[in-house]
Structure formats: C-alpha cells, structure tokens
Amino acid sequence: MKIQRRALLCFTLSMLCYPSLLPAQQVKDSKIRLLILDGQNNHDWKRMTPWHKAQLEGTGLFTVDVSTTPAKTDPPANWETWRPDFSKYQVVLSNYNGQPWPFAVQKSFTDYVTNGGGVVIIHAANNAFPGWKEYDQMLGLGWRGPDYGIRVTVAEDGTLVRHAANDGPGAGHGAQWEFAVMSRDATHPIMQSLPKVWKHGQDELYHGQRGPAENIHLLASAFSDKEKGGTGDHEPMVWWVPFGKGKVVSNLMGHVGPKTAAITCAGSNLITLRACQWVATGTVTIPVPTPFPTADQTVILEK
Ligand code: ZN
C-alpha cells in the first residue's frame, strides 16, 4: 500500500513537472510552424519582418522561419532556386508585394491552402499578384483598379454592401492618420475581448478594395473620413475567407515607411498575432495586452 502511494505521488509529481521535462525538440514540435514570406515590397520589409518575427516568437507559441525571394534586380535564374516548402508549415504570413512568383510556387501555395494551410496577409501583401485567380479568391478583396471586381463597404449596422465594378473608387488611401477601428464580430476568436472601437496608430486607411468578394467574414472596419482624403464610407479592415480546407485572414493595417506605428500599434499587432494562431489551430489563446488602445488613445509598443 505504501509503495503504491509513493508510486502515485511520483506519477503526480512527474505530471506536474511534465512541461519542463519535455525534451527541447518536443517543445519545438508542439509550437505552430510559421513561415514569413518577404523579399520585395513597396514598404520597408526589412524592418517589418524582424518586428513580426520577434512578436510571434515572444508569444512562445510559434517557431518562425523566413523565406526571402530574389530581389527585382537579381537575374531571372535566381527564381529557379526559390522553392519554399509550404507543406512544412501551418501558417504562412505574407509580407510580400512584388514580382509574380514562378508558376510552380504559385501552384504549391494554392495546394497548401487548399489542403488546409493558413495564410495571413498584411497590408501591401494584398496589392500583390493581380490576375492570379486563386490569390484573388483567397483575398476576397485586394488593391485593384475600379474595374477589377466587386467593392464592399460596411453599413452602420455592419451589413456588407456590394458595389459592382466601376461603381465607386478603386483601391487607394488618403492621408495617414490615427483612425478608429471598429470590431464587427465580437464572437470571433480573433476579436474576443477587444473594445468595440479603438484608436489605431498612424496608418494608411485603404479604401476601394476590389475582387471576387466571395465568402467574406468581416472582423473589423474603419471609417474613411473624407476630410482625410477618404471615401466617407466604412471600409473593411480585417476579414477572413475560407479557401479549400484553409483559412486566409487579411489585415489591411500596417504601413511602414519612415514611421512604424502602424505595425507597432498594440491593436494591429494583436490582430496579426491572433490571426496567425487562429488560421493554424482554429483557436486563440493570446490575451489582450495591457494597456490596450481605447476609443481616444493609441498604444504604440515601439516608436
Ligand atoms: Zn502602405
């Protein structure tokens, strides 16, 4: 009896200690495997990628690799060696806006999402690849001209309003400003426990995004003020689209030029982190940090 009790105690203690006793490789294997894509962008991707990588790794939930494409000035032959193995990852974060990928890479990316891979698109990554049908479907709405497809605006009550091609503007943005972001689905894991409205760090407010606009699940919008050069409409800001067995989240926030507040804003940053966890696992455990922006006050993590 005594021996049994001791055995039970040992077993209980070992279970309590279990996480710290996991071999390093096992801890690594239990993390979400994430790949950041970069290499070309009309934004300062060399500042953006390290920020996102550090933030993702800081949650303790992700292992992060980076795959950098050839530069625009590289010889075309360099593209022959750029073949990221998407199938090794649960989520791909695209920070890429540049030359079309080789067809073989486009196909393997489409297959990856079709088979259940997760994708998170940040800011100008939604400008990429006009004419790539599957990418347009994954985005739902992208940075395209007014004749490219459907535009979606958001009514006061959150209803999506569809506008035909050439009805209203194509993609653009007004001045950069600290605009309000409104949650449009408080029940979605990415938006859980966020305030209904919070003030974002200085950023471009994309408007007039166009595309097939199929199966768009809106998570957040922002009012595009005419006084700032906007449209006077509530524009979609964060949404997700199912593609095959995979999920694609677009977060339009995140302009980085000389200033970085658009990605170091605690609100936008949280949405990107949570989107990465959600497309990979279907759940979100990353808490809302304190302080978090309010309707009147931004919170910038690093200036
Ligand atoms: Zn921008």
Side-chain angles (χ1 to χ4, degrees), residues 3-234:
I3 291 168
Q4 275 180 353
R5 225 181 271 156
R6 189 177 293 167
L8 184 66
L9 182 67
C10 286
F11 175 74
T12 309
L13 281 173
S14 71
M15 287 308 285
L16 285 172
C17 298
Y18 182 66
S20 60
L21 292 177
L22 276 176
Q25 186 58 39
Q26 241 172 299
V27 171
K28 198 171 173 231
D29 290 349
S30 68
K31 293 191 177 185
I32 298 165
R33 298 177 306 281
L34 183 144
L35 179 67
I36 298 179
L37 297 175
D38 66 13
Q40 294 187 26
N41 205 315
N42 56 330
H43 296 72
D44 193 347
W45 60 269
K46 289 181 181 173
R47 290 173 80 186
M48 296 168 76
T49 293
W51 166 265
H52 290 299
K53 186 172 190 291
Q55 290 296 309
L56 287 158
E57 289 172 343
T59 65
L61 296 171
F62 300 89
T63 56
V64 181
D65 292 337
V66 178
S67 182
T68 300
T69 67
K72 228 174 182 174
T73 50
D74 284 0
N78 285 16
W79 283 98
E80 297 306 315
T81 57
W82 186 69
R83 291 289 183 273
D85 184 357
F86 300 119
S87 68
K88 281 167 54 184
Y89 299 94
Q90 293 160 278
V91 50
V92 172
L93 173 67
S94 181
N95 185 23
Y96 180 86
N97 177 26
Q99 290 172 294
W101 296 339
F103 179 72
V105 179
Q106 292 186 12
K107 184 173 183 316
S108 100
F109 186 73
T110 303
D111 289 347
Y112 158 78
V113 190
T114 303
N115 294 330
V119 178
V120 176
I121 302 285
I122 50 170
H123 197 58
N126 102 324
N127 299 196
F129 310 135
W132 177 3
K133 188 179 158 202
E134 288 83 3
Y135 192 75
D136 277 338
Q137 287 171 340
M138 290 177 206
L139 295 179
L141 297 164
W143 181 281
R144 311 288 188 238
D147 60 348
Y148 197 86
I150 303 290
R151 176 189 179 215
V152 171
T153 55
V154 185
E156 290 290 339
D157 67 357
T159 310
L160 300 185
V161 182
R162 295 166 74 87
H163 307 261
N166 289 315
D167 174 10
H173 61 76
Q176 292 181 33
W177 58 300
E178 294 177 339
F179 54 84
V181 176
M182 185 178 287
S183 173
R184 293 296 189 173
D185 186 355
T187 65
H188 192 281
I190 295 174
M191 306 308 289
Q192 238 166 43
S193 306
L194 290 185
K196 173 77 181 163
V197 178
W198 50 273
K199 198 174 193 181
H200 178 37
Q202 181 179 313
D203 202 349
E204 296 167 342
L205 197 168
Y206 276 13
H207 63 233
Q209 307 297 292
R210 298 274 180 174
E214 289 160 3
N215 304 312
I216 288 184
H217 299 259
L218 184 69
L219 302 181
S221 65
F223 180 70
S224 177
D225 196 331
K226 280 188 173 174
E227 284 190 14
K228 303 287 185 184
T231 56
D233 294 315
H234 291 275

